[in-house]
Amino acid sequence: MTLAISFADIEAAAARLRGFAHRTPVMTSRTADELTGAKLFFKCENLQKMGAFKFRGAFNALAQFTLQQREKGAIAYSSGNHAQAIALAARLLGMPAVIVMPQDAPPLKIAATRGYGAEVILYDRYTQDREALGRQLASERGMTLIPPYDHPHVMAGQGTAALELIEDAGSLDLLLVCVGGGGLISGCATAAKHLLPACRVIGVEPEAGNDVQQSLRKGEIVHIDVPRTIADGAQTQHAGQLTFPVIQALVDDVLTVSDAQLVRTMRFFMERMKLVVEPTGCLGAAAALEGVLPVRGLRVGVIVSGGNIDAERYARLLLEAR
Ligand SMILES: *Cc1c(COP(=O)(O)O)cnc(C)c1O
């Protein structure tokens, strides 16, 4: 079976993103290295435009619209980083965007999405089906629906994070990647296995939301209920039809970390590296820093996927964990 993306797609995405996405820094920490006995390279996508790697996939998808698609614009349903990524990419490319968000989404997120110039359409998550609403709006207005992870252009865009990390850090023995629906890890694994065939690629999910780990073990996509975890960017219920085959082919394993381990890692980033990282963004780092897998003596790449968290929630999580 042919996979949805190849390394050439990631190189093409990197060319499209040049001048639009930040080339985010790869940071190191002596404390982290001493703590783990490894050499850790943190790819800081919390410092990406709009605060997460999702800008890469959104921009790569919208940049490939035909003239007619551009005129009508893009539509997305999301309450998270994908919404803001589509809104910002649409603004930069000068096209309209509609974002379908739940009525009870954090007001700050709704405001941020409107602030990027998108039209926000609110729905009631208890009585309305957002996918049906998104499809209806798309067909009524002739807009192109871009899903958050299960799309080849989105997956290829996300893979540019690993491409840049390997260009900057050099050889790696291990790459740790946060996993929600698998867009980020499918792109990153495609880049890593092409450039460094011996590099192991390990996904990290929240303990409560280990659907991709279950899927890998079962050999088919497993669906779960919305997991209770502070890692809101990884509350997906199942991997994608396109992402899962890539994960099966290229990802060596998927491990899990607890919410308590995520909060300790948030605190480490804040205290030691002066980085604000959202809970989901800590998944990969937590696996290394909390000793979930052996890393001693290895060169380890870590994708730090995002930093969008409001100040009150950030403060509360850090305080509660003391
Ligand atoms: C979306 C998201 C993820 C998960 O990405 P997938 O492509 O769905 O696996 C991880 N971290 C952050 C910050 C995100 O916004």
Side-chain angles (χ1 to χ4, degrees):
M1 177 183 168
T2 57
L3 300 176
I5 55 168
S6 67
F7 182 68
D9 297 321
I10 292 169
E11 284 184 304
R16 281 181 207 107
L17 287 169
R18 209 157 288 139
F20 289 99
H22 292 312
R23 187 178 185 99
T24 52
V26 174
M27 291 181 60
T28 56
S29 155
R30 248 184 43 156
T31 312
D33 289 354
E34 274 167 18
L35 213 69
T36 57
K39 191 90 193 82
L40 298 172
F41 300 91
F42 298 97
K43 176 65 171 167
C44 295
E45 287 296 297
N46 57 317
L47 303 177
Q48 184 52 266
K49 283 202 179 145
M50 56 62 56
F53 72 91
K54 288 234 171 50
F55 178 71
R56 295 173 181 273
F59 189 90
N60 188 47
L62 269 52
Q64 293 180 73
F65 277 17
T66 63
L67 270 175
Q68 197 191 349
Q69 283 179 307
R70 272 178 197 243
E71 212 172 282
K72 303 284 188 186
I75 183 165
Y77 45 83
S78 163
S79 52
N81 288 330
H82 179 61
Q84 286 161 68
I86 291 288
L88 177 59
R91 158 169 280 188
L92 293 176
L93 291 163
M95 65 174 91
V98 167
I99 310 295
V100 180
M101 289 181 126
Q103 257 162 12
D104 56 354
L108 264 173
K109 278 203 168 145
I110 297 176
T113 308
R114 288 200 171 118
Y116 287 130
E119 179 186 350
V120 174
I121 293 183
L122 299 173
Y123 73 100
D124 180 348
R125 73 162 105 207
Y126 301 101
T127 61
Q128 279 179 293
D129 174 359
R130 69 171 185 178
E131 296 186 25
L133 183 61
R135 274 197 305 271
Q136 185 199 333
L137 282 164
S139 78
E140 276 172 15
R141 301 191 183 194
M143 299 180 103
T144 305
L145 185 68
I146 301 296
Y149 52 87
D150 212 23
H151 188 295
H153 300 168
V154 172
M155 294 156 67
Q158 320 304 32
T160 60
L163 174 67
E164 291 176 7
L165 167 59
I166 293 165
E167 283 172 356
D168 291 354
S171 186
L172 299 172
D173 303 300
L174 179 65
L175 178 63
L176 297 172
V177 187
C178 322
V179 179
L184 179 63
I185 198 170
S186 56
C188 286
T190 302
K193 292 288 183 180
H194 177 88
L195 295 167
L196 304 169
C199 176
R200 276 187 303 142
V201 178
I202 305 267
V204 187
E205 287 186 301
E207 231 167 55
N210 71 335
D211 59 290
V212 176
Q213 183 184 58
Q214 289 185 46
S215 302
L216 265 187
R217 313 240 146 120
K218 206 167 170 206
E220 64 184 45
I221 298 173
V222 170
H223 292 242
I224 60 169
D225 290 339
V226 177
R228 290 178 63 91
T229 168
I230 59 169
D232 46 6
Q235 281 180 313
T236 38
Q237 292 171 263
H238 57 87
Q241 299 291 334
L242 302 179
T243 60
F244 185 60
V246 179
I247 294 170
Q248 268 186 313
L250 301 179
V251 172
D252 294 273
D253 201 3
V254 174
L255 306 173
T256 64
V257 299
S258 68
D259 281 5
Q261 289 174 318
L262 289 177
V263 175
R264 283 201 293 275
T265 303
M266 274 173 62
R267 191 177 184 114
F268 179 88
F269 276 129
M270 182 257 146
E271 289 181 336
R272 300 302 184 137
M273 297 181 72
K274 318 305 159 202
L275 291 174
V276 174
V277 184
E278 63 183 277
T280 317
C282 290
L283 284 163
L289 295 172
E290 294 283 327
V292 173
L293 81 171
V295 294
R296 183 161 293 280
L298 303 181
R299 294 172 62 84
V300 182
V302 179
I303 307 280
V304 180
S305 58
N308 287 328
I309 180 164
D310 64 73
E312 285 74 21
R313 180 159 181 255
Y314 189 69
R316 189 159 27 80
L317 284 172
L318 292 185
L319 274 172
E320 280 169 0
R322 276 198 307 181

